[in-house]
Amino acid sequence: MARRKRTSQVLEKAMRRAAGINSIDPNLNLTNGLTLPAFSTLIETMRTREHLYNTALSNLDKSYHEMLETERELADMAEHMLLGVATRYGKSSVEYGMAGGVPKNQRRKGLRGESPVSSSQQPSFIAGVNGNGSKNGNKAATTS
């Protein structure tokens, strides 16, 4: 999905205002640097910056899609490399494990509904009593 390009309502309003002021007097000078040529110059600067920003977004989108495509190619090649090692050395070999695969003889077959962490490896939890002292003299108990 492409990033949303920016349009400036302030720029559009300023362009309409400049057109209206131009119809009053093309050389209107309201002092303190408030002239139609200065206003027009600032409008063009904003238009240029908005265009540069939107172009940068388009380039960023292009780079992002190119990166994703390269990432897919890399994932495919990594898989093919591992399969090549498996073909040459076998899926139970040390070389297969060195290449990042899990050798067949080291795979653990889990039963349905069994968690991958055994019960002896699960952390113990401490049940605490809320802040300002304990009721009825009960203290925090540990469970495992």
Side-chain angles (χ1 to χ4, degrees):
M1 182 172 163
R3 285 169 180 74
R4 189 175 161 123
K5 305 302 185 274
R6 189 174 195 291
T7 57
S8 174
Q9 292 179 354
V10 173
L11 176 60
E12 292 172 9
K13 184 177 179 180
M15 290 184 336
R16 286 191 304 269
R17 185 161 292 162
I21 292 172
N22 190 41
S23 67
I24 295 171
D25 181 6
N27 297 317
L28 185 66
N29 185 350
L30 301 172
T31 67
N32 294 329
L34 298 176
T35 64
L36 187 57
F39 191 47
S40 297
T41 300
L42 191 56
I43 288 171
E44 284 306 311
T45 300
M46 176 59 193
R47 188 184 321 217
T48 301
R49 292 210 173 140
E50 183 181 64
H51 176 73
L52 288 173
Y53 175 81
N54 289 334
T55 302
L57 285 180
S58 295
N59 290 333
L60 183 61
D61 285 338
K62 179 182 174 194
S63 295
Y64 178 70
H65 290 293
E66 289 171 351
M67 181 195 65
L68 290 178
E69 179 60 32
T70 304
E71 185 178 44
R72 282 189 286 271
E73 290 175 18
L74 180 60
D76 286 345
M77 188 169 187
E79 183 179 7
H80 285 101
M81 294 292 288
L82 182 61
L83 291 173
V85 170
T87 301
R88 176 170 281 179
Y89 298 102
K91 286 191 173 183
S92 294
S93 68
V94 173
E95 291 83 0
Y96 185 72
M98 291 170 61
V102 178
K104 262 182 150 178
N105 55 4
Q106 292 180 5
R107 290 188 188 148
R108 182 170 175 251
K109 303 250 184 201
L111 298 176
R112 225 180 266 185
E114 182 180 312
S115 68
V117 178
S118 68
S119 60
S120 64
Q121 294 176 344
Q122 290 181 350
S124 61
F125 295 99
I126 299 175
V129 178
N130 193 357
N132 299 339
S134 59
K135 291 186 177 182
N136 299 329
N138 291 337
K139 295 185 179 178
T142 60
T143 59
S144 59

